[in-house]
Amino acid sequence: MAAVGSGGSPAAAGPGVVSAGMLEPGTTTAAHRRLKYISLAVLVVQNASLILSIRYARTLPGDRFFATTAVVMAEVLKGLTCLLLLFAQKRGNVKHLVLFLHEAVLVQYVDTLKLAVPSLIYTLQNNLQYVAISNLPAATFQVTYQLKILTTALFSVLMLNRSLSRLQWASLLLLFTGVAIVQAQQAGGGSPRPLDQNPGAGLAAVVASCLSSGFAGVYFEKILKGSSGSVWLRNLQLGLFGTALGLVGLWWAEGTAVAHRGFFFGYTPAVWGVVLNQAFGGLLVAVVVKYADNILKGFATSLSIVLSTVASIRLFGFHVDPLFALGAGLVIGAVYLYSLPRGAAKAIASASASTSGPCTHQQPPGQPPPPQLSSHRGDVSTEPFLPKLLTKVKGS
């Protein structure tokens, strides 16, 4: 299956995997439709299952594992997986792989060092997610975490000189309103919570995680513009930095306790499930996201919110009151509106404008429409901004 590299070009499809370019003309549409549905399912399951599994593992009775060790283990497994994939791309030739890594990692050390900043932020973000999910219900976290769309959009405007449509700005305002309502419900004690949970600390961790996710994603995209490195190479480099920085964070935050009780203290099958989900879930999404357009990604986010809420009711006794339902509904609507292609957004805007008064200009029949200038400054793409493939690999 093909995966999009950092420069936006498809990487070679793996053996035994069907990509759009390998299909017969008569089966292209049907096969691509199936791949879109598969992509939707993978995105929904990965988005919801990671949050639910972390919440479940952190609320189990008994010894609680060290979150910093789980972050390090996920980085190690992710890096090893990318190394094996690169080894497979070199057809099992160890010499070619070593020469390739020497050239890409050591000789081009400037490009490698550029990844230290996003890797540091992603490591911090992964640790903050554990803090947030340990102190907030899974459904509340899932809704609030959509603020990363707002932060990513703002950083893209500031750092990449992108512009957003009016509908996108309105959807971001709607998103913020929905999150504020959900947090007001949480502060009002809408659902009973264990005594060891601190909603204030959870909210602060979510906001910090969203800020770091938005900045790291846009910074990652900016420094990798025009880069020819594959998605697996970039994630291997991120994994190297992530492992080293994760170990530093482990030593600083929980070094004494880990040294006394052991690195794998408190690890259960549920904890290993979390680690494997973090390690392989993002890489799996990196593969299937090629077949998911912006609408599908927005739909997947909305479905994952619904799935997390339903699962939280069943697993954790979460109570959905009207205030939470209103806030979550606003967030789901905002995510969908933000993910609409610019053409669809213009159609919605023109439809709403037509209901408020007569049109001031009509195109004569039979005449082609005048050319439209892109609202992006310095960007010829007319697709609305959403986090790129590589910005999602580490942060979800």
Side-chain angles (χ1 to χ4, degrees):
M1 187 175 294
V4 179
S6 59
S9 59
V17 179
V18 178
S19 67
M22 299 165 58
L23 299 173
E24 295 295 329
T27 62
T28 299
T29 303
H32 190 71
R33 188 181 299 114
R34 285 195 299 271
L35 288 172
K36 288 186 69 173
Y37 289 135
I38 293 173
S39 301
L40 174 63
V42 170
L43 290 171
V44 171
V45 171
Q46 203 278 332
N47 283 340
S49 65
L50 179 59
I51 295 169
L52 291 170
S53 61
I54 293 178
R55 177 67 179 177
Y56 178 75
R58 296 296 281 177
T59 55
L60 282 176
D63 296 327
R64 177 176 286 192
F65 68 99
F66 299 111
T68 51
T69 64
V71 172
V72 171
M73 279 304 303
E75 293 297 329
V76 170
L77 292 176
K78 191 181 298 181
L80 290 176
T81 302
C82 292
L83 185 63
L84 289 175
L85 290 170
L86 290 172
F87 182 65
Q89 286 183 352
K90 300 302 177 183
R91 302 183 182 276
N93 192 312
V94 177
K95 181 180 179 180
H96 287 176
L97 177 64
V98 171
L99 291 175
F100 170 75
L101 293 178
H102 178 267
E103 173 69 23
V105 178
L106 298 179
V107 176
Q108 300 179 20
Y109 66 93
V110 175
D111 288 342
T112 302
L113 290 176
K114 288 180 180 179
L115 299 177
V117 173
S119 182
L120 172 62
I121 298 174
Y122 285 135
T123 303
L124 173 64
Q125 177 188 345
N126 288 335
N127 282 282
L128 287 171
Q129 284 186 356
Y130 279 98
V131 176
I133 299 175
S134 299
N135 289 281
L136 292 174
T140 302
F141 172 84
Q142 181 76 291
V143 173
T144 309
Y145 193 54
Q146 301 315 311
L147 281 176
K148 65 184 178 181
I149 298 176
L150 172 63
T151 59
T152 303
L154 294 177
F155 280 119
S156 71
V157 171
L158 296 174
M159 297 172 60
L160 299 179
N161 290 327
R162 282 200 172 97
S163 63
L164 303 177
S165 66
R166 292 180 180 178
L167 182 63
Q168 287 177 305
W169 282 116
S171 67
L172 293 177
L173 178 61
L174 194 66
L175 173 70
F176 183 82
T177 303
V179 170
I181 291 175
V182 169
Q183 286 303 316
Q185 178 267 350
Q186 179 70 23
S191 298
R193 63 174 183 266
L195 296 177
D196 61 343
Q197 291 187 11
N198 186 342
L203 175 60
V206 173
V207 172
S209 182
C210 290
L211 286 171
S212 62
S213 174
F215 175 78
V218 175
Y219 177 83
F220 201 4
E221 180 186 356
K222 184 174 182 178
I223 65 175
L224 294 182
K225 282 280 189 181
S227 173
S228 59
S230 71
V231 64
W232 311 126
L233 172 62
R234 295 309 179 197
N235 278 280
L236 174 61
Q237 293 170 315
L238 286 170
L240 293 174
F241 281 115
T243 301
L245 295 170
L247 288 172
V248 172
L250 184 155
W251 171 80
W252 180 76
E254 300 172 320
T256 304
V258 172
H260 176 67
R261 296 187 173 184
F263 187 91
F264 296 106
F265 174 78
Y267 271 56
T268 63
V271 177
W272 280 111
V274 171
V275 171
L276 294 175
N277 196 335
Q278 275 195 317
F280 302 124
L283 295 177
L284 182 61
V285 170
V287 176
V288 302
V289 78
K290 170 180 170 57
Y291 303 99
D293 55 23
N294 287 337
I295 295 179
L296 196 67
K297 284 184 276 189
F299 192 48
T301 300
S302 302
L303 283 179
S304 66
I305 293 175
V306 175
L307 180 60
S308 296
T309 303
V310 173
S312 295
I313 296 173
R314 301 272 303 180
L315 295 175
F316 312 118
F318 182 74
H319 174 67
V320 178
D321 61 13
L323 203 59
F324 177 87
L326 173 62
L330 290 177
V331 170
I332 290 173
V335 171
Y336 175 75
L337 290 175
Y338 187 82
S339 64
L340 286 176
R342 190 168 293 272
K346 287 182 178 179
I348 293 177
S350 62
S352 61
S354 64
T355 60
S356 61
C359 182
T360 57
H361 173 74
Q362 291 186 349
Q363 185 70 19
Q367 295 292 328
Q372 298 291 329
L373 296 177
S374 171
S375 61
H376 290 280
R377 296 188 297 272
D379 185 5
V380 297
S381 173
T382 58
E383 196 174 47
F385 176 77
L386 281 178
K388 297 287 185 179
L389 166 66
L390 286 177
T391 69
K392 298 285 287 178
V393 172
K394 298 280 287 187
S396 52

